[in-house]
Amino acid sequence: MTENEKRLRKNIGKKIKLARAKTNYTQEDLAEKALVSTRYISQLERGISFGSATTIVNLCKALNISSDFLFNDLIQSNSSEHSDHIDLIDTKFLENYSQLNKYNKKVVNRLTNDLIKLQIEENWTNQASQKF
């Protein structure tokens, strides 16, 4: 197995684990719903194994996720080591965010919106000052 394949398996495994955590399923729950063993779920999440097409479809259905969730950014980020680093940061953020209660998710969303507005204003101010 190549290093690239190991990395891809680990990234997909992290996403399966994230989706499982978001649904509050145990590995046993997911294994039952996806018609595989608990040990196999553990191996998938750690990137040791990779599922067949049927297994991936069953996992997506059980977790109520699309295959895009598992694969899209991996295909796009495959060309750059830098984007892999960004993906890991985003995954960690999503793991943390998924653990927040409804109220705290609203707080994070409002904070994010305010930060984006400040950033836009700062960019506009910088552009305006450069013109003069």
Side-chain angles (χ1 to χ4, degrees):
M1 180 183 335
T2 67
E3 287 301 314
N4 189 46
E5 187 175 349
K6 287 179 186 177
R7 184 180 51 79
L8 290 172
R9 284 183 180 198
K10 285 189 181 224
N11 281 336
I12 291 168
K14 286 178 184 179
K15 291 178 181 190
I16 291 170
K17 185 175 182 178
L18 173 63
R20 180 178 60 79
K22 189 171 182 180
T23 60
N24 293 318
Y25 288 162
T26 63
Q27 286 184 341
E28 293 81 11
D29 295 334
L30 180 55
E32 184 178 316
K33 292 179 184 303
L35 307 172
V36 296
S37 71
T38 303
R39 182 173 182 227
Y40 193 61
I41 294 296
S42 174
Q43 291 173 344
L44 287 170
E45 289 182 354
R46 291 181 289 141
I48 295 170
S49 293
F50 185 75
S52 67
T54 302
T55 301
I56 297 298
V57 168
N58 288 343
L59 285 169
C60 288
K61 285 180 181 178
L63 294 168
N64 196 28
I65 59 174
S66 72
S67 59
D68 281 352
F69 175 77
L70 294 178
F71 298 108
N72 192 26
D73 67 320
L74 297 176
I75 294 166
Q76 292 173 352
S77 71
N78 200 16
S79 62
S80 168
E81 289 298 317
H82 177 68
S83 59
D84 290 337
H85 178 68
I86 293 170
D87 181 53
L88 293 175
I89 293 169
D90 291 345
T91 301
K92 184 62 179 167
F93 174 80
L94 290 172
E95 287 174 5
N96 291 336
Y97 182 83
S98 70
Q99 295 177 29
L100 295 174
N101 64 30
K102 200 173 192 176
Y103 174 79
N104 286 329
K105 284 180 180 177
K106 284 183 181 180
V107 171
V108 169
N109 289 335
R110 286 184 181 171
L111 178 61
T112 303
N113 287 335
D114 287 347
L115 287 170
I116 290 168
K117 286 177 188 175
L118 286 171
Q119 183 174 301
I120 290 169
E121 289 173 9
E122 182 179 314
N123 288 342
W124 184 83
T125 302
N126 288 340
Q127 289 174 355
S129 66
Q130 289 175 357
K131 290 181 181 179
F132 296 109

PDB file of all heavy atoms in Angstrom, residues 85-103:
ATOM      1  N   HIS A  85      -3.463  19.599   5.090  1.00  0.00           N
ATOM      2  CA  HIS A  85      -3.363  20.232   6.399  1.00  0.00           C
ATOM      3  C   HIS A  85      -4.639  21.010   6.704  1.00  0.00           C
ATOM      4  O   HIS A  85      -5.171  20.931   7.806  1.00  0.00           O
ATOM      5  CB  HIS A  85      -2.141  21.150   6.432  1.00  0.00           C
ATOM      6  CG  HIS A  85      -1.970  21.879   7.708  1.00  0.00           C
ATOM      7  ND1 HIS A  85      -1.642  21.242   8.887  1.00  0.00           N
ATOM      8  CD2 HIS A  85      -2.087  23.191   8.009  1.00  0.00           C
ATOM      9  CE1 HIS A  85      -1.559  22.147   9.862  1.00  0.00           C
ATOM     10  NE2 HIS A  85      -1.822  23.331   9.339  1.00  0.00           N
ATOM     11  N   ILE A  86      -5.151  21.724   5.730  1.00  0.00           N
ATOM     12  CA  ILE A  86      -6.393  22.474   5.906  1.00  0.00           C
ATOM     13  C   ILE A  86      -7.543  21.515   6.190  1.00  0.00           C
ATOM     14  O   ILE A  86      -8.358  21.755   7.060  1.00  0.00           O
ATOM     15  CB  ILE A  86      -6.686  23.350   4.669  1.00  0.00           C
ATOM     16  CG1 ILE A  86      -5.635  24.452   4.569  1.00  0.00           C
ATOM     17  CG2 ILE A  86      -8.082  23.940   4.717  1.00  0.00           C
ATOM     18  CD1 ILE A  86      -5.670  25.230   3.278  1.00  0.00           C
ATOM     19  N   ASP A  87      -7.601  20.386   5.478  1.00  0.00           N
ATOM     20  CA  ASP A  87      -8.657  19.409   5.696  1.00  0.00           C
ATOM     21  C   ASP A  87      -8.642  18.894   7.127  1.00  0.00           C
ATOM     22  O   ASP A  87      -9.680  18.725   7.741  1.00  0.00           O
ATOM     23  CB  ASP A  87      -8.524  18.243   4.711  1.00  0.00           C
ATOM     24  CG  ASP A  87      -9.617  17.220   4.899  1.00  0.00           C
ATOM     25  OD1 ASP A  87     -10.801  17.603   4.894  1.00  0.00           O
ATOM     26  OD2 ASP A  87      -9.289  16.038   5.074  1.00  0.00           O
ATOM     27  N   LEU A  88      -7.466  18.651   7.699  1.00  0.00           N
ATOM     28  CA  LEU A  88      -7.377  18.166   9.064  1.00  0.00           C
ATOM     29  C   LEU A  88      -7.886  19.212  10.048  1.00  0.00           C
ATOM     30  O   LEU A  88      -8.553  18.881  11.016  1.00  0.00           O
ATOM     31  CB  LEU A  88      -5.934  17.780   9.407  1.00  0.00           C
ATOM     32  CG  LEU A  88      -5.384  16.575   8.664  1.00  0.00           C
ATOM     33  CD1 LEU A  88      -3.912  16.371   9.005  1.00  0.00           C
ATOM     34  CD2 LEU A  88      -6.179  15.323   8.986  1.00  0.00           C
ATOM     35  N   ILE A  89      -7.595  20.477   9.775  1.00  0.00           N
ATOM     36  CA  ILE A  89      -8.091  21.538  10.647  1.00  0.00           C
ATOM     37  C   ILE A  89      -9.620  21.594  10.554  1.00  0.00           C
ATOM     38  O   ILE A  89     -10.308  21.659  11.556  1.00  0.00           O
ATOM     39  CB  ILE A  89      -7.467  22.896  10.266  1.00  0.00           C
ATOM     40  CG1 ILE A  89      -5.969  22.876  10.562  1.00  0.00           C
ATOM     41  CG2 ILE A  89      -8.150  24.040  11.001  1.00  0.00           C
ATOM     42  CD1 ILE A  89      -5.207  24.044  10.002  1.00  0.00           C
ATOM     43  N   ASP A  90     -10.155  21.550   9.355  1.00  0.00           N
ATOM     44  CA  ASP A  90     -11.597  21.596   9.178  1.00  0.00           C
ATOM     45  C   ASP A  90     -12.273  20.403   9.838  1.00  0.00           C
ATOM     46  O   ASP A  90     -13.331  20.536  10.450  1.00  0.00           O
ATOM     47  CB  ASP A  90     -11.961  21.638   7.703  1.00  0.00           C
ATOM     48  CG  ASP A  90     -11.576  22.952   7.040  1.00  0.00           C
ATOM     49  OD1 ASP A  90     -11.300  23.921   7.753  1.00  0.00           O
ATOM     50  OD2 ASP A  90     -11.559  22.986   5.811  1.00  0.00           O
ATOM     51  N   THR A  91     -11.679  19.233   9.728  1.00  0.00           N
ATOM     52  CA  THR A  91     -12.255  18.045  10.347  1.00  0.00           C
ATOM     53  C   THR A  91     -12.286  18.193  11.856  1.00  0.00           C
ATOM     54  O   THR A  91     -13.285  17.876  12.491  1.00  0.00           O
ATOM     55  CB  THR A  91     -11.458  16.785   9.939  1.00  0.00           C
ATOM     56  OG1 THR A  91     -11.494  16.667   8.517  1.00  0.00           O
ATOM     57  CG2 THR A  91     -12.038  15.541  10.566  1.00  0.00           C
ATOM     58  N   LYS A  92     -11.220  18.683  12.448  1.00  0.00           N
ATOM     59  CA  LYS A  92     -11.182  18.878  13.905  1.00  0.00           C
ATOM     60  C   LYS A  92     -12.238  19.906  14.323  1.00  0.00           C
ATOM     61  O   LYS A  92     -12.931  19.711  15.314  1.00  0.00           O
ATOM     62  CB  LYS A  92      -9.782  19.328  14.338  1.00  0.00           C
ATOM     63  CG  LYS A  92      -9.623  19.453  15.827  1.00  0.00           C
ATOM     64  CD  LYS A  92      -9.833  18.125  16.525  1.00  0.00           C
ATOM     65  CE  LYS A  92      -9.656  18.267  18.012  1.00  0.00           C
ATOM     66  NZ  LYS A  92     -10.139  17.107  18.739  1.00  0.00           N
ATOM     67  N   PHE A  93     -12.370  20.977  13.552  1.00  0.00           N
ATOM     68  CA  PHE A  93     -13.391  21.977  13.858  1.00  0.00           C
ATOM     69  C   PHE A  93     -14.779  21.342  13.822  1.00  0.00           C
ATOM     70  O   PHE A  93     -15.597  21.555  14.710  1.00  0.00           O
ATOM     71  CB  PHE A  93     -13.315  23.151  12.878  1.00  0.00           C
ATOM     72  CG  PHE A  93     -14.433  24.136  13.067  1.00  0.00           C
ATOM     73  CD1 PHE A  93     -14.361  25.080  14.072  1.00  0.00           C
ATOM     74  CD2 PHE A  93     -15.561  24.101  12.258  1.00  0.00           C
ATOM     75  CE1 PHE A  93     -15.401  25.986  14.271  1.00  0.00           C
ATOM     76  CE2 PHE A  93     -16.600  25.003  12.450  1.00  0.00           C
ATOM     77  CZ  PHE A  93     -16.516  25.948  13.456  1.00  0.00           C
ATOM     78  N   LEU A  94     -15.043  20.554  12.788  1.00  0.00           N
ATOM     79  CA  LEU A  94     -16.345  19.907  12.665  1.00  0.00           C
ATOM     80  C   LEU A  94     -16.606  18.919  13.802  1.00  0.00           C
ATOM     81  O   LEU A  94     -17.729  18.823  14.296  1.00  0.00           O
ATOM     82  CB  LEU A  94     -16.464  19.191  11.316  1.00  0.00           C
ATOM     83  CG  LEU A  94     -16.554  20.107  10.104  1.00  0.00           C
ATOM     84  CD1 LEU A  94     -16.480  19.286   8.825  1.00  0.00           C
ATOM     85  CD2 LEU A  94     -17.820  20.940  10.141  1.00  0.00           C
ATOM     86  N   GLU A  95     -15.567  18.206  14.218  1.00  0.00           N
ATOM     87  CA  GLU A  95     -15.719  17.292  15.356  1.00  0.00           C
ATOM     88  C   GLU A  95     -16.142  18.072  16.597  1.00  0.00           C
ATOM     89  O   GLU A  95     -17.059  17.678  17.313  1.00  0.00           O
ATOM     90  CB  GLU A  95     -14.410  16.556  15.638  1.00  0.00           C
ATOM     91  CG  GLU A  95     -14.064  15.495  14.638  1.00  0.00           C
ATOM     92  CD  GLU A  95     -12.680  14.898  14.870  1.00  0.00           C
ATOM     93  OE1 GLU A  95     -12.019  15.235  15.875  1.00  0.00           O
ATOM     94  OE2 GLU A  95     -12.258  14.090  14.020  1.00  0.00           O
ATOM     95  N   ASN A  96     -15.456  19.181  16.848  1.00  0.00           N
ATOM     96  CA  ASN A  96     -15.790  20.000  18.019  1.00  0.00           C
ATOM     97  C   ASN A  96     -17.174  20.618  17.888  1.00  0.00           C
ATOM     98  O   ASN A  96     -17.963  20.610  18.835  1.00  0.00           O
ATOM     99  CB  ASN A  96     -14.740  21.094  18.211  1.00  0.00           C
ATOM    100  CG  ASN A  96     -13.409  20.543  18.638  1.00  0.00           C
ATOM    101  OD1 ASN A  96     -13.309  19.466  19.208  1.00  0.00           O
ATOM    102  ND2 ASN A  96     -12.351  21.277  18.357  1.00  0.00           N
ATOM    103  N   TYR A  97     -17.465  21.164  16.707  1.00  0.00           N
ATOM    104  CA  TYR A  97     -18.752  21.813  16.479  1.00  0.00           C
ATOM    105  C   TYR A  97     -19.912  20.832  16.681  1.00  0.00           C
ATOM    106  O   TYR A  97     -20.929  21.182  17.274  1.00  0.00           O
ATOM    107  CB  TYR A  97     -18.781  22.410  15.064  1.00  0.00           C
ATOM    108  CG  TYR A  97     -20.051  23.152  14.736  1.00  0.00           C
ATOM    109  CD1 TYR A  97     -20.212  24.476  15.127  1.00  0.00           C
ATOM    110  CD2 TYR A  97     -21.077  22.543  14.033  1.00  0.00           C
ATOM    111  CE1 TYR A  97     -21.374  25.173  14.824  1.00  0.00           C
ATOM    112  CE2 TYR A  97     -22.243  23.235  13.730  1.00  0.00           C
ATOM    113  CZ  TYR A  97     -22.385  24.544  14.130  1.00  0.00           C
ATOM    114  OH  TYR A  97     -23.537  25.216  13.827  1.00  0.00           O
ATOM    115  N   SER A  98     -19.741  19.611  16.216  1.00  0.00           N
ATOM    116  CA  SER A  98     -20.825  18.625  16.312  1.00  0.00           C
ATOM    117  C   SER A  98     -21.149  18.272  17.755  1.00  0.00           C
ATOM    118  O   SER A  98     -22.236  17.778  18.044  1.00  0.00           O
ATOM    119  CB  SER A  98     -20.482  17.366  15.521  1.00  0.00           C
ATOM    120  OG  SER A  98     -19.443  16.651  16.146  1.00  0.00           O
ATOM    121  N   GLN A  99     -20.231  18.553  18.674  1.00  0.00           N
ATOM    122  CA  GLN A  99     -20.466  18.248  20.079  1.00  0.00           C
ATOM    123  C   GLN A  99     -21.168  19.372  20.836  1.00  0.00           C
ATOM    124  O   GLN A  99     -21.590  19.192  21.976  1.00  0.00           O
ATOM    125  CB  GLN A  99     -19.138  17.923  20.770  1.00  0.00           C
ATOM    126  CG  GLN A  99     -18.491  16.661  20.239  1.00  0.00           C
ATOM    127  CD  GLN A  99     -17.146  16.391  20.863  1.00  0.00           C
ATOM    128  OE1 GLN A  99     -16.900  16.765  21.994  1.00  0.00           O
ATOM    129  NE2 GLN A  99     -16.276  15.746  20.122  1.00  0.00           N
ATOM    130  N   LEU A 100     -21.310  20.526  20.182  1.00  0.00           N
ATOM    131  CA  LEU A 100     -21.967  21.656  20.827  1.00  0.00           C
ATOM    132  C   LEU A 100     -23.482  21.452  20.886  1.00  0.00           C
ATOM    133  O   LEU A 100     -24.059  20.820  20.007  1.00  0.00           O
ATOM    134  CB  LEU A 100     -21.682  22.950  20.062  1.00  0.00           C
ATOM    135  CG  LEU A 100     -20.230  23.426  20.026  1.00  0.00           C
ATOM    136  CD1 LEU A 100     -20.103  24.635  19.105  1.00  0.00           C
ATOM    137  CD2 LEU A 100     -19.728  23.754  21.416  1.00  0.00           C
ATOM    138  N   ASN A 101     -24.106  22.047  21.920  1.00  0.00           N
ATOM    139  CA  ASN A 101     -25.569  22.018  21.963  1.00  0.00           C
ATOM    140  C   ASN A 101     -26.111  23.080  21.004  1.00  0.00           C
ATOM    141  O   ASN A 101     -25.360  23.864  20.421  1.00  0.00           O
ATOM    142  CB  ASN A 101     -26.084  22.221  23.398  1.00  0.00           C
ATOM    143  CG  ASN A 101     -25.730  23.583  23.965  1.00  0.00           C
ATOM    144  OD1 ASN A 101     -25.603  24.573  23.264  1.00  0.00           O
ATOM    145  ND2 ASN A 101     -25.560  23.634  25.282  1.00  0.00           N
ATOM    146  N   LYS A 102     -27.424  23.091  20.832  1.00  0.00           N
ATOM    147  CA  LYS A 102     -28.065  23.963  19.851  1.00  0.00           C
ATOM    148  C   LYS A 102     -27.758  25.444  20.107  1.00  0.00           C
ATOM    149  O   LYS A 102     -27.461  26.196  19.180  1.00  0.00           O
ATOM    150  CB  LYS A 102     -29.576  23.716  19.886  1.00  0.00           C
ATOM    151  CG  LYS A 102     -30.317  24.141  18.686  1.00  0.00           C
ATOM    152  CD  LYS A 102     -31.765  23.681  18.773  1.00  0.00           C
ATOM    153  CE  LYS A 102     -32.457  23.831  17.449  1.00  0.00           C
ATOM    154  NZ  LYS A 102     -33.814  23.312  17.476  1.00  0.00           N
ATOM    155  N   TYR A 103     -27.806  25.853  21.361  1.00  0.00           N
ATOM    156  CA  TYR A 103     -27.552  27.249  21.710  1.00  0.00           C
ATOM    157  C   TYR A 103     -26.129  27.653  21.344  1.00  0.00           C
ATOM    158  O   TYR A 103     -25.902  28.692  20.722  1.00  0.00           O
ATOM    159  CB  TYR A 103     -27.792  27.490  23.203  1.00  0.00           C
ATOM    160  CG  TYR A 103     -27.399  28.879  23.640  1.00  0.00           C
ATOM    161  CD1 TYR A 103     -28.242  29.954  23.388  1.00  0.00           C
ATOM    162  CD2 TYR A 103     -26.183  29.120  24.271  1.00  0.00           C
ATOM    163  CE1 TYR A 103     -27.885  31.251  23.754  1.00  0.00           C
ATOM    164  CE2 TYR A 103     -25.813  30.401  24.635  1.00  0.00           C
ATOM    165  CZ  TYR A 103     -26.668  31.464  24.383  1.00  0.00           C
ATOM    166  OH  TYR A 103     -26.306  32.732  24.736  1.00  0.00           O
TER     167      TYR A 103
END
